[in-house]
């Protein structure tokens, strides 16, 4: 059983930060950022909450799918940067879009989130006949966890949201999701510690680096090495399951972290760069929102057409990775 993407949508914050704008916070320059990452600018959610961006993207996806929100049976929201620890952002979005009959939960697989969510959505659709449509929203505000004093990370990320409405179909769909938790410390942000009233010594030590509570730490070189391996591997693992080869793919839509990662992976895969959708130049790395943002943009500008075969490939904190091959 496969899935069909009925409609997609997106929302990005109003505030646009160019590379030069970062000179206000750190010692950097446009040339370094563009040549090392491919990023020129990104959006930052100065006031837009994660739930708000997700709901806006979801509303557009529902409208384009031409369905009634009451017919959505499940809302999955991928986010590593939720506005609330509880409730889930999916519940807030469920209410905002009027998906009154849907169950709702959040999923955190970091930048692989959208691929994990598609894989999960397909499993729900396969096992529950009463489920008609699944709404997947990916909504992220990395800026909430960014250390604007750290030039090695703050220039990389951007905020935004994208969404897709999915139904079951007999179209091609194959996915593979995976993780390697031994690399969890390479990209992490701490959250809560015990309340002072009950805190006891000694704390159980962990091996995670400390960049400060709710501030992002990244070992860029280790993540880079992982990403250039994970991207082709995730494709191969999903492709093996359905007997597809790289030549069958019309568009590769990878997680948008660094154009050098995409170029290296394209070489390893032996696929031409002009088959890769790249949006990181204007959005930066928007974590789980990056793949659906790129997909939605390529649908809107006519590159992605019905009947084409797409390879969506995610990799990120966890470390997680995953590939989904589908006919649009
Ligand atoms: O979505 C999650 C996945 N995340 C990723 O995929 C990120 C993977 N990693 C990367 O993309 C790259 O490792 C970075 C873009 C983060 C860094 O690129 P790099 O080519 O590995 O640079 P580097 O860390 O080796 O730094 C080279 C130099 C250093 O200076 P020194 O020590 O040689 O004097 C840095 O301090 O560049 C310096 N540098 C900067 N200079 C100007 C680091 N950041 C900046 C900056 N502006 N923003």
């Amino acid at each position: 059983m496969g899935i069909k993407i009925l409609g997609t949508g997106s929302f990005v914050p109003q505030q646009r930060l160019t590379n030069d704008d970062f000179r206000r916070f750190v010692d950097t320059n446009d040339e370094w950022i563009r040549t090392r990452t491919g990023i020129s600018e990104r959006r930052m959610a100065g006031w837009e909450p994660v739930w708000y961006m997700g709901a806006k993207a979801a509303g557009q996806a529902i409208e384009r799918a031409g369905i009634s929100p009451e017919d959505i049976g499940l809302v999955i929201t991928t986010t590593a940067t939720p506005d609330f620890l509880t409730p889930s952002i999916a519940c807030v979005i469920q209410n905002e879009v009027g998906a009154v009959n849907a169950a709702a939960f959040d999923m955190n697989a970091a930048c692989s989130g959208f691929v994990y969510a598609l894989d999960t959505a397909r499993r729900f659709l396969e096992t529950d006949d009463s489920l008609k449509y699944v709404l997947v929203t990916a909504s992220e505000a990395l800026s909430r966890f960014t250390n604007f004093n750290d030039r090695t990370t703050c220039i990389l990320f951007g905020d935004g949201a994208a969404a897709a409405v999915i139904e079951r179909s007999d179209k091609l769909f194959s996915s593979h999701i995976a993780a390697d938790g031994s690399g969890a410390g390479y990209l992490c942000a701490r959250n809560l510690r015990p309340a002072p009233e009950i805190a006891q010594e000694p704390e159980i030590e962990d091996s995670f680096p400390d960049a400060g509570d709710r501030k992002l730490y990244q070992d860029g070189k280790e993540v880079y090495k992982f990403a250039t391996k994970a991207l082709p591997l995730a494709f191969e693992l999903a492709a093996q399951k359905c007997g597809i080869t790289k030549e069958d793919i019309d568009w590769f839509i990878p997680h948008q972290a660094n154009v050098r990662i995409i170029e290296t992976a394209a070489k390893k895969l032996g696929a031409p760069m002009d088959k890769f959708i790249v949006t990181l130049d204007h959005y930066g790395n928007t974590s789980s929102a990056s793949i659906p943002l790129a997909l939605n943009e390529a649908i809107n500008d006519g590159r992605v057409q019905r009947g084409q075969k797409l390879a969506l490939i995610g990799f990120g904190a966890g470390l997680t990775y995953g590939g989904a091959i589908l006919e649009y």
Side-chain angles (χ1 to χ4, degrees), residues 27-29 32-33 36-37 111 151-152 155-157 187 218 220-221 223-224 227 255 257-258 260-261 285 315-317:
D27 177 14
T28 190
N29 58 78
W32 191 97
I33 301 172
R36 298 285 181 132
T37 70
C111 308
R151 69 176 179 173
T152 67
I155 49 97
L156 298 172
F157 299 103
L187 183 47
Q218 176 172 251
K221 286 201 189 317
V223 178
Y224 191 95
H255 170 50
N258 185 327
R260 286 159 53 216
I261 293 174
N285 177 347
F315 55 86

Side-chain angles (χ1 to χ4, degrees), residues 159-317:
D159 303 337
V165 174
I166 289 153
E167 69 174 355
R168 73 173 62 67
S169 88
D170 53 10
K171 280 172 178 274
L172 167 76
F173 183 84
S174 171
S175 58
H176 185 92
I177 55 174
D180 174 8
S182 70
Y186 293 146
L187 183 47
C188 56
R190 285 182 185 278
N191 191 9
L192 302 178
R193 297 181 194 253
E197 293 83 348
I198 56 140
Q200 289 184 321
E201 296 293 337
E203 259 187 66
I204 292 177
E205 298 281 332
D206 62 40
S207 57
F208 286 80
D210 210 337
D213 286 358
R214 299 188 192 172
K215 288 287 174 250
L216 200 75
Y217 166 86
Q218 176 172 251
D219 182 331
K221 286 201 189 317
E222 285 297 339
V223 178
Y224 191 95
K225 268 195 275 175
F226 158 74
T228 51
K229 281 190 209 131
L231 209 164
L233 178 64
F235 170 73
E236 297 294 354
L237 292 169
Q240 275 165 17
K241 287 185 179 172
C242 61
I244 286 279
T245 67
K246 60 177 189 294
E247 287 79 17
D248 300 317
I249 300 297
D250 294 290
W251 294 108
F252 292 89
I253 309 183
H255 170 50
Q256 309 280 315
N258 185 327
V259 77
R260 286 159 53 216
I261 293 174
I262 300 176
E263 285 165 355
T264 306
K267 268 196 202 119
K268 280 191 185 168
L269 271 174
M273 259 312 271
D274 60 10
K275 274 195 172 188
F276 284 73
I277 308 278
V278 177
T279 57
L280 58 82
D281 54 321
H282 49 283
Y283 289 146
N285 177 347
T286 56
S287 192
S288 72
S290 87
I291 292 175
L293 266 174
L295 170 65
N296 184 56
E297 185 170 307
I299 291 170
N300 289 350
D301 67 23
R303 275 178 292 175
V304 167
Q305 304 269 339
R306 286 286 174 201
Q308 289 184 332
K309 292 189 180 63
L310 312 179
L312 315 185
I313 312 168
F315 55 86

Side-chain angles (χ1 to χ4, degrees), residues 9 18 31 60-61 75 95 127 156 168 177 183 195 245 247 289-290 320:
T18 65
E31 212 253 330
Q60 203 179 76
V75 179
N95 181 53
T127 54
L156 298 172
R168 73 173 62 67
I177 55 174
T245 67
E247 287 79 17
S290 87
T320 57

